[in-house]
Amino acid sequence: MNKSTLFFGRALLTVAVCSFFFNPSLLLADSGTDKNPAAWQEYNNPKSGFLFTYPTEWELIDDFLYQTAGALSAGTGEGMWTINLQQIGKEEDSANWIRINPRQFQDEDGTCMTVSQQQICTYSRDAGVLAILKKIAASFRLQENR
């Protein structure tokens, strides 16, 4: 093999490797409809007062009104709507859950985004889960007729 063929072969290999590692869409571990938020399902519970979309490969595992002790004793009925989402089939992987208005979330151990005074959080460090967290936050909105 001559030197020019070897040089061009290595250059082509370098370009291919760099294209793979520096293409953000290839780095995200999204699968299926995770890549297409337009195909996601919508969470819509009039009691919670907000809407958001999430991947069809994810499911709601908790959806409830959390009332603080002060709100309960005052009889105001005030509280925060709490939602937990997980990837289907990954019940034991709670570090990768996405939580909306979690009761006792430790910000220093995870990532939170505030949208319309609602907290959207995860303990995950996985790039795919963090990308989904951002997409959920981007789709989050308050219901108009509340």
Side-chain angles (χ1 to χ4, degrees):
M1 187 178 291
N2 66 33
K3 288 183 180 182
S4 64
T5 304
L6 186 59
F7 172 78
F8 286 115
R10 287 182 179 165
L12 183 60
L13 179 61
T14 301
V15 169
V17 169
C18 288
S19 295
F20 178 79
F21 283 110
F22 294 108
N23 184 342
S25 65
L26 294 175
L27 290 176
L28 293 178
D30 289 350
S31 65
T33 59
D34 290 358
K35 295 178 183 177
N36 182 8
W40 287 13
Q41 55 195 336
E42 183 177 83
Y43 169 86
N44 181 356
N45 180 344
K47 294 178 184 179
S48 71
F50 48 80
L51 306 164
F52 63 89
T53 58
Y54 61 98
T56 57
E57 290 87 6
W58 286 62
E59 63 186 341
L60 291 161
I61 53 173
D62 290 311
D63 179 6
F64 61 93
L65 179 66
Y66 171 70
Q67 294 182 311
T68 61
L72 286 171
S73 65
T76 62
E78 295 175 6
M80 296 296 287
W81 207 264
T82 299
I83 299 168
N84 291 320
L85 297 131
Q86 73 180 13
Q87 289 176 288
I88 294 172
K90 297 196 176 182
E91 295 81 12
E92 302 300 319
D93 195 10
S94 64
N96 286 322
W97 292 358
I98 293 177
R99 298 163 169 92
I100 298 175
N101 297 323
R103 292 183 287 180
Q104 299 173 337
F105 191 81
Q106 304 296 319
D107 286 324
E108 63 272 5
D109 295 330
T111 302
C112 267
M113 303 178 82
T114 303
V115 181
S116 300
Q117 298 181 341
Q118 311 296 313
Q119 293 287 311
I120 306 169
C121 307
T122 187
Y123 286 116
S124 183
R125 304 258 188 253
D126 180 86
V129 174
L130 293 171
I132 291 169
L133 174 80
K134 290 177 184 176
K135 291 174 187 175
I136 288 173
S139 74
F140 198 93
R141 63 192 185 282
L142 296 177
Q143 290 181 335
E144 293 180 20
N145 298 325
R146 183 161 186 233

